Amino acid sequence: MVFVQHEKMNTDDMLQGHLQLYHHLLSYIKSMALKCATELGIPAALHRRGGAATLADIATEISLHQAKLPHLRRLMRVLTVSGIFAIAQEHPSSSSTGNGEIVYTLTAASRLLAAGEHDMSPMLRFLVHPTALTPFFSLHAWFRAHDDDDAGNSGGGAAAARSLFEMAHGFPRWEMTGRDAAYGAVLSDAMAADSRFVMEVVMREAGGDVFGGIGSLVDVGGGHGAAAAAVAKAFPHVKCSVLDLPHVVSQAPAAGDRGNVEFMAGDMFEFVPPADAVLLKYVLHCFGDDDCIKILRRCMEAIPTRDAGGKVKIVNMVVGSGSQENIFKETQALFDLYMTYIDGVEREEKEWEKIFFKAGFSAYKIMPILGFLSVIEVYP
Amino acid sequence: MSSTEQESSTQTMLQGHIELHNHLYGYLKSMALRCAVDLGIPTAIQRRGGAATISDLIADTMIHPAKLPHLRRLMRLLSVSGIFSAHEPSLANEADDSAGDIVYKLTPVSRLLVVDRDPCNMTSLVHLVVQPAMLTTFFSLDAYFRDENTSSTGLFEMAHGVTPWEMTKTDSTCNKALNDACVADSIFLMEIALKEGGDIFRGLSSLVDVGGGHGGAAMAIAKAFPHIKCTVLDLPHVISQAPTDGTVCFVAGDMFENIPPADAVLLKHVLHCWGVDDCIKILRQCKKAIPARGDGGKVILINPVVGYGVPQDNDVIKETQVLADMHIMAIGGSEREEHEWKYIFLEAGFSGYQIMPILGLMSIIEVYP
């Protein structure tokens, strides 16, 4: 196809481009509106009302001042048009305007923000957070950063090699939880909420395959143990433990609340305690290939041979696996760009295969059972 | 399956999961687009004849070569979401060194972001909409809802301590960003408005563009209809920075106090910045400036009319209009449905109106005294 330079656009293309431009630029309003609705407790309010409520009901439930009702209506309009809430058939009218009162209902997405086991609002709070968002204004500068850049680089590393997080905040992300306890809490609550959700789905879809037949499991980088606790509860015969850094393990739930999980402080780059299987949930995507290979080799040392049932289970994205509907492809691409800011990386199958084999593993199996995420079993 | 079972079925959970995540990451779409514009990627593709590989882009945009994998990831996102189009390598062209690389091309969106584009490009709109001051404002949204202070501090003021108009007065970067974006958007929309709705301006001998900024719209009208005497009314600190080509007269003033007389008043992207009472005040001033309906007097609005004339299968228009409504809520404005516009027109003493939804997202509304 030959492209003619300075070809004039016809009116339809101009209007289409204009519309899509505004739509794309305003995408952040979706994140912010959803965050606001969650902080105000709107999904929970709808849930308390049995899943359906009018604007007035919602305002009462969340103790909203009368003066803000028109704004609430506009917030609900955005979130209804974009599919977070839905509208049931309107009430037969009792009002003098003759218009029915709109009844708002929950959808699959907003049900995950109402209270309960599947409450993902801690994840929302973590992902739509100034700490995560503001560095992306520096993204173009990060792309262009060269080693002879000056720009207050006190980290000692070459400017071109600094993560986006570090460029924006002045220190690497792993220092953040130490400097800001509130942020640390947001992060660990998010990981715990996500673990509960993910493990529930894994148990339902493939629990027996993944966790049946093992006597012990170590969750490497398992944080405060929500994933390990889920396994221990569903499979009481499996001895579950968590390995994480000392400052993480020291904040883990007290003995009574641990759900039969043992916590061990240590460094996965040095030593992984022996077990039949190792769980690596959301760990390897934080690291480049060389570090992943190091971690995987430590895991290999911890587990028995393939014949004896040894395996590593990874929960992470396999880019390009699972549904190829646009929303899945787009969400995978979004998550991948998000991980850029801490120098993380989401991998396609061939990239996973490369690091598995370099670490000495012989085979793997991808189970795309978690929507845009997968469970990968890797065998020594 | 009972509804309770269905509610918590794995299928429903996973559907909710993907929709939630896609929604949460909305801000990354805004930021990724801004980044591509700041790196000059649309222009680079255009200058390569409309198609470029990742290596071409690295060479043309001063991106550090070590960031190549990351650029690939950025381009993947922007291609999946329709800003660029990605084409798998063609095996037919063996002479091409980069035969193995994906080729990126422009789409209608990115074509508007090529800096060489005539008569204008939309990069200034990107800088206005996706700027730190606007994004961070929305982190205060839930506090704004909780605020029971009856002196009604706006969202922007709550986040920044000053009103947006005060900020444009004191911060020249902010002022420039706003004016540049308005000029670009005006030139763009007027090109279409004059082509598709030129009859609106025929028969006028004079027009005043109220809140006309740096005259993008007025100059376009004056050029298409040289016999129409075009005037721009705006605040002193806006007019003082306006470049002029001699075709348009600039008047410093306050639309709440006095509007210079003309056959018609143009209000482009003005009324959506203001609440109902202020809109009525402005329109009453407009009515004083124009002749009677019988003598051809009218007000011409260019603004979205939420949900009006939107084809059933086009969710994007309505979604964009309601997102724009939430966005402008930050500065105390509103995007309105037809019945809300009608209320304002009648309260301001106008007798009738006609909506022409010919500008995609926006409509042209003629309002008659």
Side-chain angles (χ1 to χ4, degrees):
Chain A
M1 183 192 118
V2 175
F3 186 87
V4 178
Q5 286 216 317
H6 304 302
E7 190 183 273
K8 286 281 279 174
M9 291 170 81
N10 64 41
T11 306
D12 280 345
D13 278 351
M14 282 173 73
L15 287 176
Q16 179 64 17
H18 187 251
L19 170 66
Q20 281 187 276
L21 180 61
Y22 267 95
H23 188 244
H24 213 98
L25 292 175
L26 291 170
S27 291
Y28 68 89
I29 300 291
K30 288 178 152 181
S31 313
M32 305 311 237
L34 183 55
K35 182 181 165 84
C36 175
T38 307
E39 300 294 20
L40 292 176
I42 294 173
L46 274 166
H47 185 72
R48 284 195 298 276
R49 290 271 179 154
T54 62
L55 203 74
D57 294 338
I58 295 169
T60 307
E61 283 284 340
I62 65 173
S63 310
L64 190 76
H65 194 273
Q66 270 289 103
K68 290 284 161 44
L69 263 175
H71 304 85
L72 181 66
R73 187 179 47 80
R74 291 158 73 183
L75 178 67
M76 293 305 289
R77 180 169 66 177
V78 166
L79 293 170
T80 305
V81 171
S82 63
I84 294 296
F85 299 114
I87 289 179
Q89 85 286 352
E90 298 179 9
H91 265 218
S93 170
S94 55
S95 81
S96 56
T97 61
N99 294 321
E101 269 209 274
I102 295 176
V103 174
Y104 299 96
T105 60
L106 294 169
T107 62
S110 42
R111 258 182 230 116
L112 295 180
L113 298 170
E117 288 171 9
H118 305 148
D119 185 6
M120 296 289 272
S121 35
M123 198 54 172
L124 187 156
R125 229 165 263 132
F126 171 66
L127 290 173
V128 188
H129 192 281
T131 305
L133 192 149
T134 52
F136 284 94
F137 279 111
S138 307
L139 189 59
H140 73 286
W142 178 80
F143 268 105
R144 289 186 168 145
H146 279 69
D147 287 342
D148 49 3
D149 281 355
D150 155 59
N153 177 19
S154 57
R162 267 185 307 164
S163 71
L164 178 61
F165 186 103
E166 195 177 337
M167 178 182 257
H169 293 295
F171 50 85
R173 212 266 286 245
W174 58 264
E175 274 185 35
M176 182 83 189
T177 51
R179 289 172 183 245
D180 184 343
Y183 178 81
V186 168
L187 171 59
S188 48
D189 285 352
M191 292 296 107
D194 191 81
S195 282
R196 282 190 290 272
F197 178 90
V198 161
M199 295 313 287
E200 166 95 29
V201 175
V202 171
M203 292 307 169
R204 289 183 188 195
E205 298 292 290
D209 291 339
V210 178
F211 299 107
I214 56 168
S216 58
L217 174 86
V218 60
D219 185 356
V220 172
H224 291 180
V231 178
K233 188 174 169 190
F235 297 92
H237 66 276
V238 179
K239 183 170 166 299
C240 296
S241 52
V242 166
L243 174 77
D244 214 311
L245 295 168
H247 74 272
V248 174
V249 168
S250 66
Q251 301 294 316
D257 301 326
R258 287 180 177 187
N260 211 25
V261 169
E262 196 189 318
F263 284 82
M264 288 174 280
D267 182 346
M268 62 186 171
F269 284 98
E270 300 295 321
F271 178 72
V272 171
D276 287 344
V278 169
L279 176 64
L280 280 166
K281 177 181 165 290
Y282 297 171
V283 173
L284 298 184
H285 70 167
C286 294
F287 296 99
D289 286 0
D290 292 340
D291 282 340
C292 284
I293 291 163
K294 281 185 195 146
I295 297 166
L296 284 167
R297 284 193 178 134
R298 293 288 92 78
C299 294
M300 174 87 95
E301 288 158 14
I303 57 180
T305 61
R306 183 176 188 173
D307 291 339
K311 50 190 169 176
V312 173
K313 303 156 203 295
I314 295 168
V315 179
N316 251 135
M317 192 183 295
V318 178
V319 180
S321 274
S323 169
Q324 289 305 291
E325 272 181 57
N326 201 271
I327 189 175
F328 284 87
K329 284 163 72 168
E330 191 178 67
T331 307
Q332 288 196 333
L334 283 164
F335 195 91
D336 185 26
L337 184 68
Y338 172 80
M339 289 305 293
T340 301
Y341 100 115
I342 48 166
D343 278 348
V345 59
E346 300 301 339
R347 295 176 164 92
E348 295 173 13
E349 180 177 347
K350 58 178 194 272
E351 295 170 298
W352 281 116
E353 186 178 62
K354 187 171 97 177
I355 57 173
F356 295 157
F357 291 159
K358 277 203 172 157
F361 288 83
S362 66
Y364 64 91
K365 181 170 87 174
I366 297 174
M367 290 170 274
I369 56 173
L370 283 166
F372 66 96
L373 300 167
S374 295
V375 174
I376 317 171
E377 284 202 332
V378 199
Y379 313 104
Chain B
M1 191 189 274
S2 80
S3 71
T4 342
E5 284 167 27
Q6 190 184 39
E7 268 172 27
S8 57
S9 79
T10 315
Q11 178 66 11
T12 308
M13 282 173 71
L14 286 175
Q15 189 193 336
H17 187 244
I18 186 77
E19 285 173 12
L20 197 61
H21 277 81
N22 190 268
H23 209 102
L24 289 182
Y25 286 121
Y27 68 87
L28 279 180
K29 288 171 84 163
S30 309
M31 307 295 248
L33 180 51
R34 166 128 195 196
C35 178
V37 166
D38 288 340
L39 291 172
I41 292 174
T43 306
I45 294 175
Q46 167 77 347
R47 288 180 183 170
R48 287 264 179 174
T53 62
I54 287 283
S55 315
D56 293 338
L57 293 176
I58 298 266
D60 296 349
T61 60
M62 296 188 298
I63 293 173
H64 194 291
K67 301 275 161 62
L68 187 147
H70 304 285
L71 179 62
R72 205 186 290 284
R73 292 153 77 184
L74 178 71
M75 293 305 286
R76 174 166 63 197
L77 172 61
L78 293 168
S79 300
V80 168
S81 45
I83 302 299
F84 301 110
S85 63
H87 304 264
E88 291 297 324
S90 153
L91 300 171
N93 190 357
E94 289 165 21
D96 190 342
D97 277 347
S98 57
D101 276 357
I102 295 175
V103 169
Y104 298 96
K105 297 185 182 175
L106 300 173
T107 65
V109 184
S110 40
R111 287 181 73 183
L112 296 178
L113 300 171
V114 172
V115 302
D116 305 323
R117 185 180 180 272
D118 262 337
C120 66
N121 67 77
M122 304 299 269
T123 55
S124 51
L125 186 69
V126 176
H127 292 126
L128 178 69
V129 178
V130 187
Q131 59 171 304
M134 279 313 292
L135 241 85
T136 56
T137 297
F138 285 90
F139 278 114
S140 303
L141 191 57
D142 57 307
Y144 175 71
F145 271 95
R146 290 273 173 235
D147 177 33
E148 298 187 5
N149 190 339
T150 50
S151 75
S152 67
T153 307
L155 175 59
F156 188 96
E157 197 179 342
M158 184 177 264
H160 299 286
V162 291
T163 68
W165 310 117
E166 281 163 11
M167 190 171 261
T168 57
K169 232 194 268 188
T170 55
D171 182 332
S172 58
T173 313
C174 194
N175 192 21
K176 185 174 189 309
L178 177 60
N179 292 322
D180 286 353
C182 289
V183 168
D185 200 67
S186 283
I187 295 174
F188 178 87
L189 284 178
M190 288 318 293
E191 186 178 338
I192 301 172
L194 291 167
K195 196 163 41 159
E196 308 290 319
D199 283 349
I200 296 168
F201 301 99
R202 245 171 270 286
L204 298 176
S205 58
S206 59
L207 174 134
V208 59
D209 185 356
V210 171
H214 288 186
M219 287 186 204
I221 296 167
K223 189 170 171 191
F225 299 95
H227 65 277
I228 302 181
K229 179 173 174 299
C230 295
T231 307
V232 168
L233 174 75
D234 215 309
L235 296 169
H237 73 275
V238 175
I239 299 282
S240 66
Q241 303 295 315
T244 174
D245 65 356
T247 62
V248 161
C249 175
F250 287 87
V251 172
D254 183 343
M255 62 186 172
F256 286 97
E257 300 295 320
N258 180 62
I259 292 173
D263 287 347
V265 169
L266 175 65
L267 280 166
K268 178 186 160 291
H269 289 346
V270 172
L271 296 187
H272 72 164
C273 295
W274 302 96
V276 173
D277 294 338
D278 283 333
C279 283
I280 292 167
K281 281 185 196 153
I282 295 165
L283 281 171
R284 285 192 178 136
Q285 290 298 341
C286 292
K287 189 157 181 283
K288 287 186 205 161
I290 57 180
R293 182 173 189 168
D295 295 325
K298 59 187 173 185
V299 173
I300 304 164
L301 301 186
I302 299 180
N303 252 134
V305 179
V306 179
Y308 188 91
V310 177
Q312 280 287 69
D313 56 356
N314 193 333
D315 300 329
V316 179
I317 293 183
K318 180 131 193 220
E319 188 172 91
T320 309
Q321 289 173 337
V322 301
L323 286 172
D325 177 44
M326 187 101 266
H327 182 247
I328 208 145
M329 195 167 92
I331 62 166
S334 191
E335 299 299 354
R336 297 177 166 96
E337 296 173 17
E338 182 182 356
H339 69 93
E340 296 172 282
W341 282 118
K342 186 172 176 176
Y343 174 81
I344 289 170
F345 299 156
L346 295 179
E347 285 293 307
F350 288 79
S351 66
Y353 64 91
Q354 195 195 149
I355 301 175
M356 289 159 275
I358 58 174
L359 296 173
L361 201 47
M362 321 276 177
S363 291
I364 300 182
I365 316 173
E366 284 194 325
V367 198
Y368 313 109

